[in-house]
Amino acid sequence: MASLKLGREFYSRDTITVAKELLGKILVHDVDGQLIKGKIVETEAYLGLIDKAAHSYGGKKTKRLEAMYSIPGTSYIFFIYGMYYCFNVVTRETGIPEAVLVRGIEPVEGIDKMSNNRFGKNYEDLTNYQKKNLTNGPGKLSIAFNLDKSLDKEDLCGNRLYISEGEEEKIDIVETTRIGIDYAEEAKDWKLRFYIKNNAFVSKK
């Protein structure tokens, strides 16, 4: 059933497994009773203590990182470049600071709301370029879905922001290196980015 919400047990597993299995699932944000929904088509796994690309590498602890050490199924939202929010899903056991970044989403419901959040006009009034770039990147999807720091530490097993099962479909997964982490030494070569092959809303093929 497409409406079946993912439970805690889904998130409290190996991070790479969760990153792959999030593909095809539906991200839902209830904004004052209006639902915004989109299919997750691209993710990246961040392996905490051993991963030089992860904010929590080496066990780093700051106020910003509190969500990373929280219970699995918690949202971790951070601000980058002084411009964009990025939405992550906390995985593994409580206290193990690993997470999955959601990088790309295919719009499903509330598309006019997404369009107005991003471009200030309804979807039918967008150019083809704007339609293609509505949610194909972590900053873009966060604007479209109205995700900001107020939703950091949100319980994804609640009713405001959550992930549900998607439609039954066969998904071909591409496994490749992550984006924008050239500083991460050997970790930059780890194939921890996963996306649905040939999906138009993947940020970068």
Side-chain angles (χ1 to χ4, degrees), residues 88-202:
N88 302 257
V89 176
V90 174
T91 56
R92 293 282 305 267
E93 305 90 339
T94 302
I96 305 293
E98 299 190 9
V100 176
L101 170 68
V102 177
R103 279 200 62 92
I105 280 181
E106 178 181 328
V108 170
E109 184 179 320
I111 299 177
D112 275 342
K113 180 69 172 174
M114 295 184 208
S115 178
N116 276 279
N117 286 342
R118 283 272 285 128
F119 300 112
K121 52 189 176 181
N122 289 338
Y123 184 77
E124 65 180 12
D125 297 320
L126 299 184
T127 65
N128 287 335
Y129 178 83
Q130 288 172 327
K131 289 176 180 178
K132 179 183 176 184
N133 284 275
L134 186 58
T135 50
N136 64 336
K140 298 173 188 178
L141 72 87
S142 290
I143 296 170
F145 270 72
N146 198 24
L147 305 179
D148 58 24
K149 198 67 176 175
S150 69
L151 288 161
D152 185 44
K153 303 181 191 174
E154 186 76 10
D155 185 356
L156 299 176
C157 296
N159 295 317
R160 182 161 68 146
L161 180 66
Y162 57 92
I163 300 171
S164 65
E165 292 286 356
E167 299 297 328
E168 283 288 333
E169 61 177 323
K170 184 180 184 303
I171 291 175
D172 290 327
I173 299 176
V174 177
E175 302 184 14
T176 186
T177 53
R178 296 171 292 183
I179 294 172
I181 57 162
D182 290 343
Y183 58 85
E185 298 180 8
E186 73 281 353
K188 71 181 175 58
D189 298 318
W190 295 354
K191 292 187 175 182
L192 296 179
R193 180 163 73 101
F194 310 100
Y195 64 82
I196 298 176
K197 186 177 181 179
N198 297 326
N199 187 279
F201 288 89
V202 172

Side-chain angles (χ1 to χ4, degrees), residues 16-62:
I16 295 173
T17 299
V18 174
K20 291 179 181 179
E21 294 189 9
L22 277 172
L23 297 176
K25 301 295 191 287
I26 306 297
L27 178 64
V28 183
H29 187 194
D30 185 335
V31 184
D32 300 323
Q34 181 176 1
L35 298 183
I36 303 174
K37 297 183 180 182
K39 180 168 76 173
I40 297 172
V41 300
E42 181 183 6
T43 60
E44 289 181 347
Y46 285 86
L47 306 183
L49 304 179
I50 64 168
D51 185 351
K52 291 177 182 175
H55 294 162
S56 53
Y57 170 65
K60 182 179 180 181
K61 289 186 177 182
T62 64

